[in-house]
Amino acid sequence: YQSLAVKLQKRYSYGLSFLAGYTFSKSIDDTGAATNQYNAQTAYGLSTFDVRHRFVFSPVYELPFGKGKPYASQGPLALIVGGWQLSSLFQWQTGAPLTATLSGTYSNTATTDRPDLIGDPNANAPHTPQEWFNTAAFALRPASGQAGATYSFGDEGRGVIEGPGLVNMDLSIGWKMRTIE
């Protein structure tokens, strides 16, 4: 695992604070199941939890009303409008790596078989729920060019498909009860 992480933080001033973070990373391992027992490299690839880019932003704003604030700082109105804050959490990250597998056992072994990779599954990918990656980038024909794929291992590496990412925004409004002295 290798990464670069950057954090930017602003503490409360004028009722505003925020925290922003970005991580650029890559994780590679060989803990996946080897599809070809004679070639351990078929287990080597991107980790299932590899997320290349991740950005998080979280601002908090205390509204300027109530005790100790510039507006409506005294009396019953200060109790009603004071103590409110707005906050959010924005997250964006790239998707985790995926590996295409075959539904049949073409290699006649106890492993999950993979197809041959004949193109880039991420290039010209439709990115729809029905077809996320370019399915034309895979074939059952072995790399040797022989007809059929029976009793052969596909040459697709582990984690070659970029899975769907995440974009999420959470918003909240909160109130902290305060007493007037």
PDB file of all heavy atoms in Angstrom, residues 61-96:
ATOM      1  N   TYR A  61     -21.164  25.290  10.293  1.00  0.00           N
ATOM      2  CA  TYR A  61     -21.397  26.720  10.461  1.00  0.00           C
ATOM      3  C   TYR A  61     -22.380  26.933  11.601  1.00  0.00           C
ATOM      4  O   TYR A  61     -23.507  26.438  11.551  1.00  0.00           O
ATOM      5  CB  TYR A  61     -21.958  27.327   9.172  1.00  0.00           C
ATOM      6  CG  TYR A  61     -22.247  28.804   9.280  1.00  0.00           C
ATOM      7  CD1 TYR A  61     -21.221  29.709   9.522  1.00  0.00           C
ATOM      8  CD2 TYR A  61     -23.540  29.281   9.167  1.00  0.00           C
ATOM      9  CE1 TYR A  61     -21.480  31.065   9.635  1.00  0.00           C
ATOM     10  CE2 TYR A  61     -23.807  30.639   9.272  1.00  0.00           C
ATOM     11  CZ  TYR A  61     -22.776  31.522   9.506  1.00  0.00           C
ATOM     12  OH  TYR A  61     -23.030  32.859   9.625  1.00  0.00           O
ATOM     13  N   GLU A  62     -21.922  27.654  12.626  1.00  0.00           N
ATOM     14  CA  GLU A  62     -22.789  28.034  13.737  1.00  0.00           C
ATOM     15  C   GLU A  62     -23.478  29.335  13.355  1.00  0.00           C
ATOM     16  O   GLU A  62     -22.810  30.336  13.081  1.00  0.00           O
ATOM     17  CB  GLU A  62     -21.983  28.239  15.022  1.00  0.00           C
ATOM     18  CG  GLU A  62     -21.470  26.976  15.633  1.00  0.00           C
ATOM     19  CD  GLU A  62     -20.766  27.232  16.964  1.00  0.00           C
ATOM     20  OE1 GLU A  62     -20.406  28.398  17.265  1.00  0.00           O
ATOM     21  OE2 GLU A  62     -20.565  26.261  17.693  1.00  0.00           O
ATOM     22  N   LEU A  63     -24.796  29.326  13.354  1.00  0.00           N
ATOM     23  CA  LEU A  63     -25.534  30.521  12.984  1.00  0.00           C
ATOM     24  C   LEU A  63     -25.271  31.633  14.003  1.00  0.00           C
ATOM     25  O   LEU A  63     -25.108  31.359  15.197  1.00  0.00           O
ATOM     26  CB  LEU A  63     -27.023  30.212  12.874  1.00  0.00           C
ATOM     27  CG  LEU A  63     -27.370  29.193  11.779  1.00  0.00           C
ATOM     28  CD1 LEU A  63     -28.871  28.891  11.786  1.00  0.00           C
ATOM     29  CD2 LEU A  63     -26.950  29.691  10.416  1.00  0.00           C
ATOM     30  N   PRO A  64     -25.233  32.896  13.560  1.00  0.00           N
ATOM     31  CA  PRO A  64     -24.821  34.002  14.443  1.00  0.00           C
ATOM     32  C   PRO A  64     -25.940  34.541  15.337  1.00  0.00           C
ATOM     33  O   PRO A  64     -26.066  35.742  15.538  1.00  0.00           O
ATOM     34  CB  PRO A  64     -24.362  35.067  13.442  1.00  0.00           C
ATOM     35  CG  PRO A  64     -25.201  34.835  12.244  1.00  0.00           C
ATOM     36  CD  PRO A  64     -25.403  33.336  12.175  1.00  0.00           C
ATOM     37  N   PHE A  65     -26.751  33.658  15.881  1.00  0.00           N
ATOM     38  CA  PHE A  65     -27.860  34.058  16.735  1.00  0.00           C
ATOM     39  C   PHE A  65     -27.705  33.414  18.105  1.00  0.00           C
ATOM     40  O   PHE A  65     -27.248  32.293  18.217  1.00  0.00           O
ATOM     41  CB  PHE A  65     -29.204  33.629  16.132  1.00  0.00           C
ATOM     42  CG  PHE A  65     -29.400  34.061  14.712  1.00  0.00           C
ATOM     43  CD1 PHE A  65     -29.384  33.133  13.682  1.00  0.00           C
ATOM     44  CD2 PHE A  65     -29.598  35.392  14.401  1.00  0.00           C
ATOM     45  CE1 PHE A  65     -29.567  33.531  12.375  1.00  0.00           C
ATOM     46  CE2 PHE A  65     -29.782  35.800  13.089  1.00  0.00           C
ATOM     47  CZ  PHE A  65     -29.766  34.871  12.075  1.00  0.00           C
ATOM     48  N   GLY A  66     -28.146  34.122  19.144  1.00  0.00           N
ATOM     49  CA  GLY A  66     -28.144  33.565  20.493  1.00  0.00           C
ATOM     50  C   GLY A  66     -27.083  34.171  21.377  1.00  0.00           C
ATOM     51  O   GLY A  66     -26.337  35.083  20.995  1.00  0.00           O
ATOM     52  N   LYS A  67     -27.002  33.645  22.596  1.00  0.00           N
ATOM     53  CA  LYS A  67     -26.078  34.160  23.607  1.00  0.00           C
ATOM     54  C   LYS A  67     -24.635  34.122  23.097  1.00  0.00           C
ATOM     55  O   LYS A  67     -24.168  33.103  22.583  1.00  0.00           O
ATOM     56  CB  LYS A  67     -26.204  33.320  24.876  1.00  0.00           C
ATOM     57  CG  LYS A  67     -25.345  33.826  26.008  1.00  0.00           C
ATOM     58  CD  LYS A  67     -25.532  32.994  27.248  1.00  0.00           C
ATOM     59  CE  LYS A  67     -24.607  33.494  28.330  1.00  0.00           C
ATOM     60  NZ  LYS A  67     -24.703  32.700  29.529  1.00  0.00           N
ATOM     61  N   GLY A  68     -23.941  35.244  23.227  1.00  0.00           N
ATOM     62  CA  GLY A  68     -22.545  35.336  22.811  1.00  0.00           C
ATOM     63  C   GLY A  68     -22.363  35.535  21.320  1.00  0.00           C
ATOM     64  O   GLY A  68     -21.236  35.577  20.831  1.00  0.00           O
ATOM     65  N   LYS A  69     -23.446  35.688  20.573  1.00  0.00           N
ATOM     66  CA  LYS A  69     -23.381  35.870  19.119  1.00  0.00           C
ATOM     67  C   LYS A  69     -23.778  37.304  18.777  1.00  0.00           C
ATOM     68  O   LYS A  69     -24.370  38.018  19.593  1.00  0.00           O
ATOM     69  CB  LYS A  69     -24.314  34.883  18.412  1.00  0.00           C
ATOM     70  CG  LYS A  69     -24.043  33.426  18.728  1.00  0.00           C
ATOM     71  CD  LYS A  69     -22.725  32.994  18.155  1.00  0.00           C
ATOM     72  CE  LYS A  69     -22.497  31.523  18.461  1.00  0.00           C
ATOM     73  NZ  LYS A  69     -21.258  31.031  17.981  1.00  0.00           N
ATOM     74  N   PRO A  70     -23.503  37.750  17.562  1.00  0.00           N
ATOM     75  CA  PRO A  70     -23.788  39.148  17.208  1.00  0.00           C
ATOM     76  C   PRO A  70     -25.275  39.514  17.153  1.00  0.00           C
ATOM     77  O   PRO A  70     -25.631  40.667  17.357  1.00  0.00           O
ATOM     78  CB  PRO A  70     -23.180  39.317  15.825  1.00  0.00           C
ATOM     79  CG  PRO A  70     -22.405  38.099  15.529  1.00  0.00           C
ATOM     80  CD  PRO A  70     -22.765  37.073  16.526  1.00  0.00           C
ATOM     81  N   TYR A  71     -26.144  38.562  16.850  1.00  0.00           N
ATOM     82  CA  TYR A  71     -27.563  38.879  16.676  1.00  0.00           C
ATOM     83  C   TYR A  71     -28.429  38.121  17.674  1.00  0.00           C
ATOM     84  O   TYR A  71     -28.145  36.964  17.990  1.00  0.00           O
ATOM     85  CB  TYR A  71     -28.013  38.531  15.249  1.00  0.00           C
ATOM     86  CG  TYR A  71     -27.151  39.161  14.182  1.00  0.00           C
ATOM     87  CD1 TYR A  71     -26.247  38.386  13.457  1.00  0.00           C
ATOM     88  CD2 TYR A  71     -27.219  40.522  13.922  1.00  0.00           C
ATOM     89  CE1 TYR A  71     -25.446  38.958  12.490  1.00  0.00           C
ATOM     90  CE2 TYR A  71     -26.413  41.105  12.957  1.00  0.00           C
ATOM     91  CZ  TYR A  71     -25.532  40.319  12.239  1.00  0.00           C
ATOM     92  OH  TYR A  71     -24.727  40.894  11.292  1.00  0.00           O
ATOM     93  N   ALA A  72     -29.513  38.782  18.101  1.00  0.00           N
ATOM     94  CA  ALA A  72     -30.479  38.177  19.028  1.00  0.00           C
ATOM     95  C   ALA A  72     -29.760  37.492  20.189  1.00  0.00           C
ATOM     96  O   ALA A  72     -29.958  36.316  20.455  1.00  0.00           O
ATOM     97  CB  ALA A  72     -31.383  37.197  18.291  1.00  0.00           C
ATOM     98  N   SER A  73     -28.906  38.249  20.879  1.00  0.00           N
ATOM     99  CA  SER A  73     -28.052  37.648  21.906  1.00  0.00           C
ATOM    100  C   SER A  73     -28.651  37.668  23.308  1.00  0.00           C
ATOM    101  O   SER A  73     -28.047  37.126  24.222  1.00  0.00           O
ATOM    102  CB  SER A  73     -26.697  38.346  21.926  1.00  0.00           C
ATOM    103  OG  SER A  73     -26.861  39.723  22.204  1.00  0.00           O
ATOM    104  N   GLN A  74     -29.841  38.267  23.489  1.00  0.00           N
ATOM    105  CA  GLN A  74     -30.428  38.344  24.828  1.00  0.00           C
ATOM    106  C   GLN A  74     -31.912  38.020  24.779  1.00  0.00           C
ATOM    107  O   GLN A  74     -32.548  38.107  23.732  1.00  0.00           O
ATOM    108  CB  GLN A  74     -30.252  39.753  25.402  1.00  0.00           C
ATOM    109  CG  GLN A  74     -28.815  40.149  25.584  1.00  0.00           C
ATOM    110  CD  GLN A  74     -28.705  41.578  26.110  1.00  0.00           C
ATOM    111  OE1 GLN A  74     -29.644  42.096  26.699  1.00  0.00           O
ATOM    112  NE2 GLN A  74     -27.565  42.197  25.903  1.00  0.00           N
ATOM    113  N   GLY A  75     -32.416  37.653  25.943  1.00  0.00           N
ATOM    114  CA  GLY A  75     -33.847  37.444  26.107  1.00  0.00           C
ATOM    115  C   GLY A  75     -34.339  36.114  25.574  1.00  0.00           C
ATOM    116  O   GLY A  75     -33.562  35.238  25.181  1.00  0.00           O
ATOM    117  N   PRO A  76     -35.683  35.968  25.563  1.00  0.00           N
ATOM    118  CA  PRO A  76     -36.284  34.713  25.108  1.00  0.00           C
ATOM    119  C   PRO A  76     -35.976  34.383  23.649  1.00  0.00           C
ATOM    120  O   PRO A  76     -35.854  33.228  23.284  1.00  0.00           O
ATOM    121  CB  PRO A  76     -37.783  34.923  25.312  1.00  0.00           C
ATOM    122  CG  PRO A  76     -37.926  36.106  26.201  1.00  0.00           C
ATOM    123  CD  PRO A  76     -36.675  36.897  26.082  1.00  0.00           C
ATOM    124  N   LEU A  77     -35.837  35.420  22.815  1.00  0.00           N
ATOM    125  CA  LEU A  77     -35.521  35.176  21.401  1.00  0.00           C
ATOM    126  C   LEU A  77     -34.165  34.486  21.254  1.00  0.00           C
ATOM    127  O   LEU A  77     -33.975  33.631  20.390  1.00  0.00           O
ATOM    128  CB  LEU A  77     -35.544  36.494  20.624  1.00  0.00           C
ATOM    129  CG  LEU A  77     -35.356  36.372  19.106  1.00  0.00           C
ATOM    130  CD1 LEU A  77     -36.453  35.508  18.499  1.00  0.00           C
ATOM    131  CD2 LEU A  77     -35.316  37.734  18.454  1.00  0.00           C
ATOM    132  N   ALA A  78     -33.213  34.831  22.130  1.00  0.00           N
ATOM    133  CA  ALA A  78     -31.891  34.196  22.095  1.00  0.00           C
ATOM    134  C   ALA A  78     -31.997  32.695  22.356  1.00  0.00           C
ATOM    135  O   ALA A  78     -31.243  31.896  21.794  1.00  0.00           O
ATOM    136  CB  ALA A  78     -30.958  34.849  23.105  1.00  0.00           C
ATOM    137  N   LEU A  79     -32.943  32.295  23.230  1.00  0.00           N
ATOM    138  CA  LEU A  79     -33.144  30.862  23.494  1.00  0.00           C
ATOM    139  C   LEU A  79     -33.723  30.145  22.280  1.00  0.00           C
ATOM    140  O   LEU A  79     -33.388  28.988  22.001  1.00  0.00           O
ATOM    141  CB  LEU A  79     -34.089  30.670  24.682  1.00  0.00           C
ATOM    142  CG  LEU A  79     -33.496  30.903  26.061  1.00  0.00           C
ATOM    143  CD1 LEU A  79     -34.586  30.834  27.119  1.00  0.00           C
ATOM    144  CD2 LEU A  79     -32.412  29.889  26.345  1.00  0.00           C
ATOM    145  N   ILE A  80     -34.606  30.820  21.560  1.00  0.00           N
ATOM    146  CA  ILE A  80     -35.280  30.176  20.425  1.00  0.00           C
ATOM    147  C   ILE A  80     -34.375  30.073  19.205  1.00  0.00           C
ATOM    148  O   ILE A  80     -34.270  29.014  18.589  1.00  0.00           O
ATOM    149  CB  ILE A  80     -36.574  30.947  20.075  1.00  0.00           C
ATOM    150  CG1 ILE A  80     -37.544  30.885  21.257  1.00  0.00           C
ATOM    151  CG2 ILE A  80     -37.217  30.386  18.817  1.00  0.00           C
ATOM    152  CD1 ILE A  80     -38.720  31.828  21.139  1.00  0.00           C
ATOM    153  N   VAL A  81     -33.707  31.176  18.842  1.00  0.00           N
ATOM    154  CA  VAL A  81     -32.922  31.182  17.606  1.00  0.00           C
ATOM    155  C   VAL A  81     -31.448  30.867  17.834  1.00  0.00           C
ATOM    156  O   VAL A  81     -30.698  30.685  16.880  1.00  0.00           O
ATOM    157  CB  VAL A  81     -33.063  32.524  16.852  1.00  0.00           C
ATOM    158  CG1 VAL A  81     -34.489  32.765  16.445  1.00  0.00           C
ATOM    159  CG2 VAL A  81     -32.520  33.679  17.671  1.00  0.00           C
ATOM    160  N   GLY A  82     -31.012  30.794  19.079  1.00  0.00           N
ATOM    161  CA  GLY A  82     -29.602  30.532  19.365  1.00  0.00           C
ATOM    162  C   GLY A  82     -29.271  29.051  19.393  1.00  0.00           C
ATOM    163  O   GLY A  82     -30.114  28.192  19.599  1.00  0.00           O
ATOM    164  N   GLY A  83     -28.015  28.737  19.149  1.00  0.00           N
ATOM    165  CA  GLY A  83     -27.531  27.363  19.263  1.00  0.00           C
ATOM    166  C   GLY A  83     -27.686  26.505  18.024  1.00  0.00           C
ATOM    167  O   GLY A  83     -27.375  25.316  18.054  1.00  0.00           O
ATOM    168  N   TRP A  84     -28.162  27.086  16.926  1.00  0.00           N
ATOM    169  CA  TRP A  84     -28.344  26.292  15.700  1.00  0.00           C
ATOM    170  C   TRP A  84     -27.048  26.241  14.898  1.00  0.00           C
ATOM    171  O   TRP A  84     -26.288  27.198  14.844  1.00  0.00           O
ATOM    172  CB  TRP A  84     -29.443  26.895  14.834  1.00  0.00           C
ATOM    173  CG  TRP A  84     -30.805  26.722  15.419  1.00  0.00           C
ATOM    174  CD1 TRP A  84     -31.473  27.613  16.200  1.00  0.00           C
ATOM    175  CD2 TRP A  84     -31.650  25.585  15.282  1.00  0.00           C
ATOM    176  NE1 TRP A  84     -32.692  27.110  16.566  1.00  0.00           N
ATOM    177  CE2 TRP A  84     -32.828  25.850  16.015  1.00  0.00           C
ATOM    178  CE3 TRP A  84     -31.545  24.358  14.632  1.00  0.00           C
ATOM    179  CZ2 TRP A  84     -33.877  24.958  16.099  1.00  0.00           C
ATOM    180  CZ3 TRP A  84     -32.588  23.475  14.716  1.00  0.00           C
ATOM    181  CH2 TRP A  84     -33.735  23.762  15.438  1.00  0.00           C
ATOM    182  N   GLN A  85     -26.802  25.099  14.273  1.00  0.00           N
ATOM    183  CA  GLN A  85     -25.647  24.978  13.381  1.00  0.00           C
ATOM    184  C   GLN A  85     -26.019  24.125  12.175  1.00  0.00           C
ATOM    185  O   GLN A  85     -26.856  23.230  12.254  1.00  0.00           O
ATOM    186  CB  GLN A  85     -24.432  24.411  14.097  1.00  0.00           C
ATOM    187  CG  GLN A  85     -24.523  22.958  14.479  1.00  0.00           C
ATOM    188  CD  GLN A  85     -23.232  22.468  15.137  1.00  0.00           C
ATOM    189  OE1 GLN A  85     -22.466  23.257  15.674  1.00  0.00           O
ATOM    190  NE2 GLN A  85     -23.009  21.179  15.098  1.00  0.00           N
ATOM    191  N   LEU A  86     -25.391  24.441  11.068  1.00  0.00           N
ATOM    192  CA  LEU A  86     -25.565  23.691   9.820  1.00  0.00           C
ATOM    193  C   LEU A  86     -24.270  22.940   9.550  1.00  0.00           C
ATOM    194  O   LEU A  86     -23.175  23.478   9.752  1.00  0.00           O
ATOM    195  CB  LEU A  86     -25.849  24.639   8.655  1.00  0.00           C
ATOM    196  CG  LEU A  86     -27.029  25.582   8.795  1.00  0.00           C
ATOM    197  CD1 LEU A  86     -27.037  26.588   7.647  1.00  0.00           C
ATOM    198  CD2 LEU A  86     -28.317  24.793   8.819  1.00  0.00           C
ATOM    199  N   SER A  87     -24.377  21.722   9.073  1.00  0.00           N
ATOM    200  CA  SER A  87     -23.171  20.964   8.720  1.00  0.00           C
ATOM    201  C   SER A  87     -23.472  20.039   7.550  1.00  0.00           C
ATOM    202  O   SER A  87     -24.626  19.726   7.259  1.00  0.00           O
ATOM    203  CB  SER A  87     -22.645  20.169   9.915  1.00  0.00           C
ATOM    204  OG  SER A  87     -23.595  19.223  10.341  1.00  0.00           O
ATOM    205  N   SER A  88     -22.424  19.643   6.891  1.00  0.00           N
ATOM    206  CA  SER A  88     -22.574  18.699   5.784  1.00  0.00           C
ATOM    207  C   SER A  88     -21.331  17.829   5.708  1.00  0.00           C
ATOM    208  O   SER A  88     -20.298  18.128   6.293  1.00  0.00           O
ATOM    209  CB  SER A  88     -22.802  19.439   4.460  1.00  0.00           C
ATOM    210  OG  SER A  88     -21.634  20.116   4.079  1.00  0.00           O
ATOM    211  N   LEU A  89     -21.475  16.769   4.960  1.00  0.00           N
ATOM    212  CA  LEU A  89     -20.358  15.875   4.686  1.00  0.00           C
ATOM    213  C   LEU A  89     -20.448  15.498   3.216  1.00  0.00           C
ATOM    214  O   LEU A  89     -21.436  14.907   2.780  1.00  0.00           O
ATOM    215  CB  LEU A  89     -20.421  14.612   5.558  1.00  0.00           C
ATOM    216  CG  LEU A  89     -19.365  13.551   5.263  1.00  0.00           C
ATOM    217  CD1 LEU A  89     -17.969  14.091   5.558  1.00  0.00           C
ATOM    218  CD2 LEU A  89     -19.625  12.290   6.063  1.00  0.00           C
ATOM    219  N   PHE A  90     -19.433  15.885   2.456  1.00  0.00           N
ATOM    220  CA  PHE A  90     -19.370  15.552   1.033  1.00  0.00           C
ATOM    221  C   PHE A  90     -18.260  14.534   0.845  1.00  0.00           C
ATOM    222  O   PHE A  90     -17.144  14.735   1.326  1.00  0.00           O
ATOM    223  CB  PHE A  90     -19.088  16.793   0.189  1.00  0.00           C
ATOM    224  CG  PHE A  90     -18.848  16.484  -1.253  1.00  0.00           C
ATOM    225  CD1 PHE A  90     -19.904  16.186  -2.099  1.00  0.00           C
ATOM    226  CD2 PHE A  90     -17.564  16.458  -1.769  1.00  0.00           C
ATOM    227  CE1 PHE A  90     -19.685  15.874  -3.423  1.00  0.00           C
ATOM    228  CE2 PHE A  90     -17.327  16.152  -3.095  1.00  0.00           C
ATOM    229  CZ  PHE A  90     -18.396  15.864  -3.926  1.00  0.00           C
ATOM    230  N   GLN A  91     -18.559  13.442   0.136  1.00  0.00           N
ATOM    231  CA  GLN A  91     -17.568  12.402  -0.140  1.00  0.00           C
ATOM    232  C   GLN A  91     -17.546  12.094  -1.629  1.00  0.00           C
ATOM    233  O   GLN A  91     -18.595  11.984  -2.255  1.00  0.00           O
ATOM    234  CB  GLN A  91     -17.920  11.106   0.582  1.00  0.00           C
ATOM    235  CG  GLN A  91     -17.999  11.205   2.071  1.00  0.00           C
ATOM    236  CD  GLN A  91     -18.404   9.882   2.670  1.00  0.00           C
ATOM    237  OE1 GLN A  91     -17.609   8.961   2.739  1.00  0.00           O
ATOM    238  NE2 GLN A  91     -19.659   9.782   3.088  1.00  0.00           N
ATOM    239  N   TRP A  92     -16.358  11.942  -2.175  1.00  0.00           N
ATOM    240  CA  TRP A  92     -16.185  11.511  -3.563  1.00  0.00           C
ATOM    241  C   TRP A  92     -15.008  10.550  -3.593  1.00  0.00           C
ATOM    242  O   TRP A  92     -13.961  10.819  -2.997  1.00  0.00           O
ATOM    243  CB  TRP A  92     -15.887  12.702  -4.480  1.00  0.00           C
ATOM    244  CG  TRP A  92     -15.479  12.272  -5.855  1.00  0.00           C
ATOM    245  CD1 TRP A  92     -16.300  11.959  -6.890  1.00  0.00           C
ATOM    246  CD2 TRP A  92     -14.138  12.082  -6.331  1.00  0.00           C
ATOM    247  NE1 TRP A  92     -15.558  11.590  -7.981  1.00  0.00           N
ATOM    248  CE2 TRP A  92     -14.229  11.654  -7.659  1.00  0.00           C
ATOM    249  CE3 TRP A  92     -12.881  12.217  -5.760  1.00  0.00           C
ATOM    250  CZ2 TRP A  92     -13.113  11.365  -8.438  1.00  0.00           C
ATOM    251  CZ3 TRP A  92     -11.764  11.928  -6.528  1.00  0.00           C
ATOM    252  CH2 TRP A  92     -11.889  11.517  -7.851  1.00  0.00           C
ATOM    253  N   GLN A  93     -15.198   9.427  -4.257  1.00  0.00           N
ATOM    254  CA  GLN A  93     -14.083   8.489  -4.413  1.00  0.00           C
ATOM    255  C   GLN A  93     -14.261   7.676  -5.678  1.00  0.00           C
ATOM    256  O   GLN A  93     -15.367   7.475  -6.162  1.00  0.00           O
ATOM    257  CB  GLN A  93     -13.945   7.563  -3.208  1.00  0.00           C
ATOM    258  CG  GLN A  93     -15.033   6.531  -3.068  1.00  0.00           C
ATOM    259  CD  GLN A  93     -14.843   5.678  -1.838  1.00  0.00           C
ATOM    260  OE1 GLN A  93     -14.417   6.165  -0.797  1.00  0.00           O
ATOM    261  NE2 GLN A  93     -15.174   4.406  -1.929  1.00  0.00           N
ATOM    262  N   THR A  94     -13.125   7.229  -6.199  1.00  0.00           N
ATOM    263  CA  THR A  94     -13.167   6.349  -7.361  1.00  0.00           C
ATOM    264  C   THR A  94     -13.570   4.951  -6.907  1.00  0.00           C
ATOM    265  O   THR A  94     -13.522   4.631  -5.720  1.00  0.00           O
ATOM    266  CB  THR A  94     -11.794   6.304  -8.064  1.00  0.00           C
ATOM    267  OG1 THR A  94     -10.795   5.956  -7.102  1.00  0.00           O
ATOM    268  CG2 THR A  94     -11.455   7.657  -8.672  1.00  0.00           C
ATOM    269  N   GLY A  95     -13.937   4.120  -7.856  1.00  0.00           N
ATOM    270  CA  GLY A  95     -14.433   2.791  -7.529  1.00  0.00           C
ATOM    271  C   GLY A  95     -13.336   1.791  -7.234  1.00  0.00           C
ATOM    272  O   GLY A  95     -12.168   1.965  -7.583  1.00  0.00           O
ATOM    273  N   ALA A  96     -13.735   0.733  -6.587  1.00  0.00           N
ATOM    274  CA  ALA A  96     -12.821  -0.371  -6.274  1.00  0.00           C
ATOM    275  C   ALA A  96     -12.627  -1.229  -7.522  1.00  0.00           C
ATOM    276  O   ALA A  96     -13.493  -1.271  -8.397  1.00  0.00           O
ATOM    277  CB  ALA A  96     -13.388  -1.209  -5.134  1.00  0.00           C
TER     278      ALA A  96
END
